[in-house]
Amino acid sequence: MLRSVVLFFSVLGACCGSSFPSNINIGGLFPADSHEYEAFRFALSHQQDVPKLVPQVDMVKSGNSFSMTYAFCSQFAKGVYAIIGVYDRRTVNMLMSFCGALHVCFVTPSFPVAAANQFVIQLRPHLQGALLSIIEFYRWTRFTYLYSSDSGLTVLQRVLDCAAERGWQVVSVNVESISEASFSKLYQDLEARKEGHIIIDCETDRLASVLKKIVELRKNVKNFHYILANPGFLDMDLQEFKKGGANVTGFQLVNGEEPSVSHTLQQWLQFETKDAKAPRKALKYTGALTYDGVKVMATAFQNLRRQRIDISRRGNAGECLANPPAPWGQGIDIQRALQQVRIDGLTGHIQFDEKGRRINYTLGVMELRAAGPKKVGYWNENEKFIPTSFPPGTNETNGLQNRSYIVTTILESPYVMLKKNHEQLQGNDKYEGYIVELAAEIAKHVGYRYHLHIVSDGKYGAKDPDTKQWNGMVGELVYGKADVAVAPLTITLVREEVIDFSKPFMSLGISIMIKKPTKSKPGVFSFLDPLAYEIWMCIVFAYIGVSVVLFLVSRFSPYEWHADDNEEGAGSKDGQPPGHAPAAPQATPTQEQSNEFGIFNSLWFSLGAFMQQGCDISPRSLSGRIVGGVWWFFTLIIISSYTANLAAFLTVERMVSPIESAEDLAKQTEIAYGTLDAGSTKEFFRRSKIAVFEKMWSYMKSADPSVFVKTTAEGVVRVRKSKGKYAYLLESTMNEYIEQRKPCDTMKVGGNLDSKGYGIATPKGSILRSHVNLAVLKLNEQGLLDKLKNKWWYDKGECGSGGGDSKDKTSALSLSNVAGVFYILIGGLGLAMLVALVEFCYKSRAESQRMKHSIDAALRCSGLGALGGASGVGGGADGENGRLLAPGGENGRLLAPDFPKAVQSCMSHSAGLSLGAAGM
């Protein structure tokens, strides 16, 4: 009958549609007046979202299997969707069986069990991984393990397995079965063997009784070191251990330093306190787990509601003791929804695997100090144990020499690099580089032990504008995950507000890296390069101008003119017979004014002076000499300047860089440029008020694709593969280092855009700041910082002594360097031959024409002479010896080379003959 009713309602629900219920009934199984039950009520008061969680609570007796079975079946019959509650070692197996058979999800803050069940959601994380990491950190090889079976033997079994593998000597003692006398005897044996390393693995109530016994035996002294394998270190009263000075280490699941967690804890203290007779005690870790359990359930049902998955339970759910069991069909959907929850609660990040076990959680590592409990590190599944303060087991009065610090840094060449055989090494020995040696020197001067820790996110440190949280190395210092940051960390204002910096150990600035351009081949006329094109043009115009001015002043100045004596006539006094006066004057001497500085001679004088070869003429006037003097001075300076630069330009190979400064970058758009994301360089451009940098930032933030890179290595690769179309802005020190690395194809251009320094960072108020600061100053005065830089930058360089950034490289002269000079020489010689040929042809033509006229004139002169001779013979003889003047005699010479004189001679001779004839 009952099954028929259930089937009827199921069919009816399917016909009516699948609407998600607005109220979700959840079961609760808690001991009466338990801390977990109060936390359950507190959590429900904070869950007001739809669907609303409606509790169906049954009080159970701890350790009573019958009571737990009855309560569970009652909850199942009421049709609850999931159950939250606690179990112990006597009821855990029964509950896991029911949940697996009936597909009912059970969310519990109780101790985790090894036999996982996917329907049991275990909020409490396992401790064996964190415990083993702490043991390895302290290098314990002999210790005593005190345990109880309240929480099972899972942790003990794991510890014993590791002890067998690593050769540890472990003495395990069950505190439930040991008497007080045996307990006292145990400590006597420990003191006799001088062994003080003890691990206590118990639930909170039993742990409190064990600690009480230890105090009664007065073993809460500094000779003993206790590790409490319990996630509620702050839930225990350790005042007597603090007074005795014992070293106590433990784990804390609830991080009260988080603002949201702290706020919830304050609300817990004020929860239902009006009618309370005593103030409410602090929320324990089991209560926090219960609170998170309610939050996980609420989140899961909200996700189901958004996904519109039908989980409605209509009517009676059936009997939990039916044989065979009838599992609930919607239980799988709820189980998947619970395991898929990803939230942050009071106990940190909450996430589950497919077996319902907690994963990706973080445990705080605590130590009892003279001032009270202090967080000294944390543990997670990825990084294992990371100490962030003084190691547990030491006292502050021991000084820095006995303390170990976590030093955060970043993998960045040449600062921190993995050795080639790093897989075979451990700890700090795996790394090498500038920062590795610097950290060792600082630790040596300050006197502390340290552990190098590579920052998990690979960032230097910047504040997220959305979450307002710091990332990178700065974030690890701010949130207590590291004690010192020894890295190329730039000192900036925003960082100085949250952490402290030492004096800078290296000065630098932002610089520009580009791909090295190809070297320009020397041109044919590379000998003209020492002087600019404009200067050569000015020299040409100056040469022409000086020549013209010299020509003009020579024409105007009377001192440049001089007379030349010339004879015009054919006869002379010597041509007359002695004793006879000449019959008539035959010629009169004339003076011609000449000037040597014609236009061509002026050009020749200027050219000779410019070539420093001189000339066969020189100015005579004062004005001409002034022109020559200033021209000589001009050529002296020009030639000296040209000669001084000629050697460098002919023997140096030059590279033409497309940009030389930030201004060049800002003015163009062909070459993209960017910086490292989440770094001080990006912050510099974002905050700069200089117009050029503002323009560059405007371009960078709007560029598509993005010009920002995640790592410096990525930026360098982008520069090398961009074929000169990408420039990377980075610190000058890194720029100089990369220039020294193969393939030597990058270069630094321009000067630094700013001036800043790298500093060693510590958290605000750290006692290490002053010690580290003094160590940096001492290393600087000793010259060790410069020595380290030379070692890792230049001594290990791969691009030669000139460096990869050598723009100018001296080499021997080749024919291509001076080919233009030979071309000019050959061209000049060819031009001279051509001009000589033209002159020869022109002169030959002129001479041939003149020779033709000379011969005709000579023939005419010869005819006249013959006629005159005949007349002389017929009319009488010469006055002396009656000798006749032969035709063509002294006054009748025919001078072929001097055609005008020959003509004149002929004319004079003819005239003489005519006169002689007339006289006769």
Side-chain angles (χ1 to χ4, degrees):
M1 182 64 183
L2 180 61
R3 294 184 179 180
S4 301
V5 173
V6 172
L7 180 61
F8 172 77
F9 280 101
S10 300
V11 174
L12 181 62
C15 296
C16 296
S18 59
S19 60
F20 199 91
S22 59
N23 292 332
I24 299 295
N25 293 328
I26 61 171
L29 301 177
F30 300 101
D33 299 329
S34 63
H35 179 75
E36 292 77 10
Y37 176 63
E38 294 296 320
F40 175 71
R41 294 174 55 245
F42 173 68
L44 287 176
S45 67
H46 285 189
Q47 301 298 331
Q48 303 297 334
D49 297 332
V50 178
K52 184 178 180 181
L53 302 182
V54 178
Q56 302 290 337
V57 180
D58 285 340
M59 297 301 174
V60 296
K61 295 181 181 180
S62 300
N64 191 326
S65 299
F66 178 82
S67 175
M68 183 64 74
T69 302
Y70 179 83
F72 184 88
C73 290
S74 175
Q75 297 284 338
F76 185 73
K78 293 177 182 178
V80 296
Y81 292 87
I83 302 174
I84 183 171
V86 296
Y87 56 67
D88 53 29
R89 61 174 180 169
R90 296 180 180 86
T91 58
V92 58
N93 294 328
M94 180 272 298
L95 282 173
M96 295 188 70
S97 298
F98 275 124
C99 292
L102 301 176
H103 292 187
V104 176
C105 294
F106 187 80
V107 182
T108 177
S110 300
F111 58 88
V113 293
N117 186 318
Q118 62 179 348
F119 292 95
V120 178
I121 307 300
Q122 302 178 16
L123 295 167
R124 179 170 165 181
H126 291 272
L127 288 181
Q128 51 262 41
L131 181 60
L132 290 173
S133 296
I134 293 295
I135 295 173
E136 291 174 353
F137 179 76
Y138 297 142
R139 300 179 181 177
W140 283 10
T141 57
R142 298 166 61 103
F143 55 89
T144 302
Y145 195 95
L146 304 180
Y147 70 96
S148 70
S149 57
D150 294 336
S151 58
L153 305 177
T154 305
V155 180
L156 174 61
Q157 186 62 47
R158 180 71 180 278
V159 172
L160 293 178
D161 292 341
C162 290
E165 294 175 0
R166 304 174 187 180
W168 297 346
Q169 297 182 13
V170 182
V171 177
S172 59
V173 178
N174 190 342
V175 294
E176 294 179 38
S177 60
I178 190 172
S179 63
E180 294 185 4
S182 299
F183 195 80
S184 177
K185 181 66 167 57
L186 173 64
Y187 270 91
Q188 291 177 6
D189 295 340
L190 291 176
E191 288 183 332
R193 297 194 304 265
K194 295 183 179 180
E195 295 178 9
H197 298 159
I198 301 171
I199 298 175
I200 306 176
D201 180 15
C202 301
E203 289 297 287
T204 304
D205 295 338
R206 180 129 2 224
L207 179 59
S209 63
V210 173
L211 295 178
K212 184 178 180 181
K213 291 181 181 180
I214 294 174
V215 173
E216 292 175 354
L217 295 175
R218 296 185 179 180
K219 303 305 177 185
N220 55 331
V221 293
K222 62 182 180 180
N223 296 332
F224 291 91
H225 185 182
Y226 297 94
I227 297 179
L228 308 181
N230 186 283
F233 186 86
L234 298 179
D235 299 340
M236 291 171 283
D237 184 11
L238 300 175
Q239 289 297 323
E240 296 299 327
F241 283 81
K242 184 174 68 173
K243 294 178 182 178
N247 299 313
V248 183
T249 304
F251 305 96
Q252 180 63 27
L253 186 59
V254 180
N255 186 8
E257 298 177 356
E258 291 289 338
S260 59
V261 176
S262 177
H263 179 69
T264 304
L265 296 179
Q266 290 295 327
Q267 290 180 330
W268 161 259
L269 296 177
Q270 300 172 4
F271 176 64
E272 295 183 355
T273 57
K274 293 182 179 181
D275 300 330
K277 297 180 181 180
R280 186 178 294 276
K281 295 182 179 179
L283 186 68
K284 297 180 180 180
Y285 81 93
T286 54
L289 289 171
T290 305
Y291 182 93
D292 287 343
V294 175
K295 189 175 181 180
V296 167
M297 296 173 72
T299 303
F301 286 114
Q302 290 169 10
N303 293 337
L304 289 172
R305 185 173 186 269
R306 282 193 294 267
Q307 297 171 9
R308 297 183 179 179
I309 297 177
D310 183 19
I311 61 170
S312 300
R313 297 191 65 174
R314 299 172 181 86
N316 198 325
E319 295 289 336
C320 67
L321 299 178
N323 189 13
W328 177 35
Q330 287 79 15
I332 293 292
D333 295 328
I334 296 178
Q335 172 257 329
R336 290 174 180 172
L338 288 171
Q339 291 183 359
Q340 291 174 0
V341 170
R342 303 288 189 275
I343 61 173
D344 291 329
L346 298 182
T347 57
H349 181 69
I350 301 176
Q351 185 178 349
F352 306 96
D353 61 7
E354 66 277 5
K355 297 296 184 180
R357 292 173 296 197
R358 186 89 172 260
I359 59 174
N360 292 337
Y361 56 91
T362 300
L363 288 170
V365 180
M366 310 295 294
E367 182 191 9
L368 184 63
R369 298 288 180 80
K374 178 178 177 59
K375 184 178 180 180
V376 295
Y378 65 93
W379 182 93
N380 57 44
E381 293 174 305
N382 296 325
E383 297 176 303
K384 304 305 179 185
F385 174 55
I386 302 298
T388 58
S389 186
F390 313 130
T394 62
N395 294 318
E396 294 181 357
T397 56
N398 291 339
L400 296 175
Q401 288 74 13
N402 297 325
R403 294 173 179 169
S404 179
Y405 293 86
I406 186 69
V407 176
T408 181
T409 186
I410 189 170
L411 281 176
E412 192 82 72
S413 301
Y415 301 102
V416 180
M417 301 173 289
L418 288 171
K419 293 181 179 178
K420 295 181 179 179
N421 59 338
H422 65 91
E423 296 179 353
Q424 305 173 2
L425 303 174
Q426 294 182 352
N428 301 340
D429 297 334
K430 296 189 299 183
Y431 307 104
E432 65 177 353
Y434 178 90
I435 289 297
V436 177
E437 295 191 14
L438 177 61
E441 290 293 335
I442 292 175
K444 177 181 177 181
H445 283 77
V446 176
Y448 63 80
R449 294 179 289 113
Y450 69 99
H451 169 70
L452 283 177
H453 162 66
I454 304 300
V455 60
S456 57
D457 59 5
K459 296 181 179 180
Y460 288 90
K463 193 173 184 179
D464 191 283
D466 298 327
T467 63
K468 306 299 181 182
Q469 299 292 318
W470 284 89
N471 57 23
M473 292 179 287
V474 177
E476 292 194 345
L477 293 176
V478 171
Y479 303 121
K481 296 182 179 180
D483 296 301
V484 190
V486 184
L489 192 62
T490 306
I491 303 174
T492 62
L493 174 62
V494 291
R495 290 174 178 171
E496 188 74 41
E497 292 176 351
V498 294
I499 58 177
D500 289 332
F501 280 100
S502 68
K503 298 294 182 181
F505 61 84
M506 184 181 293
S507 299
L508 64 147
I510 298 174
S511 61
I512 305 172
M513 173 192 291
I514 64 171
K515 185 175 177 61
K516 187 183 298 182
T518 56
K519 296 177 180 178
S520 59
K521 295 181 180 180
V524 174
F525 297 99
S526 59
F527 64 90
L528 299 176
D529 293 340
L531 298 181
Y533 171 79
E534 295 81 1
I535 297 180
W536 285 115
M537 294 302 299
C538 292
I539 290 175
V540 172
F541 288 122
Y543 164 69
I544 296 174
V546 168
S547 301
V548 171
V549 170
L550 183 61
F551 169 74
L552 294 177
V553 298
S554 299
R555 287 293 172 181
F556 285 110
S557 177
Y559 299 102
E560 291 293 348
W561 296 87
H562 57 87
D564 290 337
D565 294 336
N566 295 322
E567 290 184 357
E568 295 182 358
S572 65
K573 295 180 180 180
D574 296 337
Q576 302 297 325
H580 292 271
Q586 298 181 356
T588 60
T590 61
Q591 292 184 348
E592 293 183 0
Q593 298 291 325
S594 63
N595 192 325
E596 294 179 342
F597 282 93
I599 187 63
F600 292 106
N601 278 352
S602 298
L603 292 172
W604 178 248
F605 173 81
S606 300
L607 182 62
F610 184 76
M611 298 297 180
Q612 296 189 348
Q613 299 301 317
C615 185
D616 53 350
I617 59 176
S618 60
R620 297 180 180 180
S621 65
L622 178 61
S623 59
R625 291 179 178 179
I626 292 175
V627 174
V630 295
W631 176 245
W632 289 340
F633 176 78
F634 172 81
T635 57
L636 173 66
I637 301 302
I638 293 296
I639 297 301
S640 299
S641 302
Y642 174 81
T643 305
N645 292 334
L646 180 62
F649 272 81
L650 291 182
T651 60
V652 171
E653 296 178 348
R654 295 189 172 270
M655 294 179 294
V656 180
S657 176
I659 56 173
E660 292 293 343
S661 63
E663 289 77 7
D664 294 343
L665 274 179
K667 289 186 295 185
Q668 56 82 46
T669 56
E670 182 179 358
I671 301 176
Y673 49 91
T675 69
L676 179 69
D677 200 2
S680 61
T681 304
K682 180 180 178 182
E683 193 70 15
F684 167 78
F685 284 99
R686 189 177 72 85
R687 292 177 172 270
S688 178
K689 299 301 180 182
I690 301 176
V692 174
F693 299 152
E694 285 182 333
K695 184 177 180 181
M696 295 175 67
W697 170 248
S698 177
Y699 162 78
M700 287 189 287
K701 70 179 181 180
S702 60
D704 187 23
S706 176
V707 294
F708 299 108
V709 295
K710 295 181 179 180
T711 62
T712 299
E714 180 183 343
V716 175
V717 171
R718 189 168 178 178
V719 169
R720 287 172 171 167
K721 292 184 177 180
S722 65
K723 298 181 180 180
K725 299 302 181 182
Y726 180 77
Y728 183 45
L729 300 165
L730 74 166
E731 281 82 359
S732 57
T733 51
M734 182 60 66
N735 200 347
E736 294 167 359
Y737 172 76
I738 294 173
E739 285 179 320
Q740 299 289 332
R741 303 292 102 185
K742 291 182 178 179
C744 308
D745 57 351
T746 64
M747 61 182 291
K748 173 186 174 184
V749 294
N752 295 340
L753 308 187
D754 67 343
S755 179
K756 52 190 176 184
Y758 288 150
I760 299 174
T762 56
K764 280 288 186 180
S766 174
I767 62 173
L768 283 175
R769 180 187 181 186
S770 58
H771 298 282
V772 171
N773 204 25
L774 292 175
V776 171
L777 292 175
K778 187 174 182 180
L779 294 176
N780 189 28
E781 291 178 356
Q782 293 175 350
L784 185 61
L785 297 180
D786 294 332
K787 183 179 179 181
L788 287 178
K789 184 174 181 181
N790 290 331
K791 174 183 177 180
W792 290 101
W793 264 257
Y794 306 110
D795 296 347
K796 295 180 179 291
E798 300 173 350
C799 299
S801 59
D805 59 338
S806 179
K807 298 180 182 178
D808 305 333
K809 187 175 181 181
T810 303
S811 60
L813 282 177
S814 62
L815 180 61
S816 59
N817 295 104
V818 293
V821 179
F822 289 93
Y823 292 159
I824 292 178
L825 176 62
I826 296 173
L829 295 178
L831 180 63
M833 296 293 295
L834 180 62
V835 172
L837 180 61
V838 171
E839 288 180 344
F840 174 77
C841 294
Y842 176 79
K843 194 68 176 179
S844 298
R845 179 182 177 84
E847 289 295 331
S848 63
Q849 293 178 356
R850 187 170 60 182
M851 288 291 296
K852 182 178 180 180
H853 291 299
S854 299
I855 293 174
D856 293 341
L859 291 176
R860 287 195 299 271
C861 290
S862 297
L864 292 174
L867 179 61
S871 300
V873 170
D878 189 91
E880 184 181 358
N881 299 325
R883 190 162 48 91
L884 295 175
L885 293 175
E890 182 71 19
N891 293 328
R893 287 181 302 167
L894 180 62
L895 300 177
D898 196 355
F899 177 75
K901 291 184 178 181
V903 176
Q904 293 175 5
S905 176
C906 293
M907 293 173 64
S908 299
H909 188 68
S910 299
L913 291 176
S914 300
L915 292 173
M920 292 178 63

